[in-house]
Amino acid sequence: MSKAVQTAAPGSRPKGVEGEQQVGRWVRRMFDGVAPRYDLLNHVLSGNMDRLWRARTVRMLADRIAAPGAVVVDLCCGSGDLMLALAKRRGATVFGSDFCHPMLIEAARKARARRASTPLVEADALNLPLASSSASVLTVAFGFRNLANYDKGLREMYRVLKPGGTVAILEFSTPPNRAFRACYDFYSLRVLPRIGAMLSGKDAADAYRYLPESVRRFPDANSLALLMRETGFQSVRFRRMTFGVVALHLGVK
Ligand SMILES: C[S@@+](CC[C@H](N)C(=O)[O-])C[C@H]1O[C@@H](n2cnc3c(N)ncnc32)[C@H](O)[C@@H]1O
């Protein structure tokens, strides 16, 4: 293991919550509470950078999405922004999947408004009701970090992907530059939870305390790449965006 690689966290662990099932339930309930204001908060807290990150992800996947007969599944699709951006590409059959019902309602509403045909599946990403080797592309944006077991999540993605299929994980990461990281930590630990609580009310305050904590616990870009390789993914590479605030990891089955 190289020096730059952190010891990988086994999965999301909100403070005071133990056990995979409990973590899953806690995460789902947290997103239930955030769903009505999720989009607004996302755009405000990221200064609209989230749109850019998703757009770049879609561009990086353009050829694979456009391949004849491509089946794309956006896991942890939430309110559907990445799913809908993927569906804009001509020719792709795009599904969305998430375990939070209010998020899926929001995704369905947006899909209707944009006349997009994007079937939705309510499911846990750790146990997908999808056939093995059925998807050509699997994407997950800002959802992977919340899984109770990263290893299980990667193995499930590997199972569902067709041989030759691509997985794309867009996730918050650790900025490698120390000075930048200090500023970013100040913003995410001190400023972000306050804005989050102000905009979403006290009920969702937990969510915006959890967000920076979960980002800090999450494996850095090299460690996530290592986990992907250990699962069996090949040609694993990542691209940092916005000084490493987020990273897009790609891998092939
Ligand atoms: C931060 S939101 C991201 C939503 C969307 N992908 C985006 O880019 O805006 C994380 C989403 O992951 C979902 N999620 C977290 N853990 C999950 C799991 N184990 N199975 C399915 N969905 C999960 C949550 O319900 C939530 O909608």
Side-chain angles (χ1 to χ4, degrees), residues 31 38 42 54 76-78 98-100 103 123-125 141-142 147:
F31 281 108
Y38 176 74
N42 233 350
R54 289 192 197 87
C76 303
C77 68
D98 200 287
F99 70 176
C100 172
M103 283 288 202
D124 191 326
F142 309 113
L147 300 185

Side-chain angles (χ1 to χ4, degrees), residues 24 27-28 31-32 38-39 42 50 54 74-83 97-101 103 123-126 128 140-148 170 172 211:
V27 168
R28 190 167 60 223
F31 281 108
D32 280 354
Y38 176 74
D39 283 351
N42 233 350
D50 63 310
R54 289 192 197 87
D74 183 35
L75 300 173
C76 303
C77 68
S79 63
D81 278 355
L82 180 60
M83 172 188 82
S97 173
D98 200 287
F99 70 176
C100 172
H101 193 72
M103 283 288 202
D124 191 326
L126 297 181
L128 292 165
V140 52
F142 309 113
F144 186 80
R145 187 188 71 255
N146 301 295
L147 300 185
L170 178 67
F172 289 107
L211 173 67

Side-chain angles (χ1 to χ4, degrees), residues 24 52 80 178 193:
L52 195 86
R178 257 203 220 169

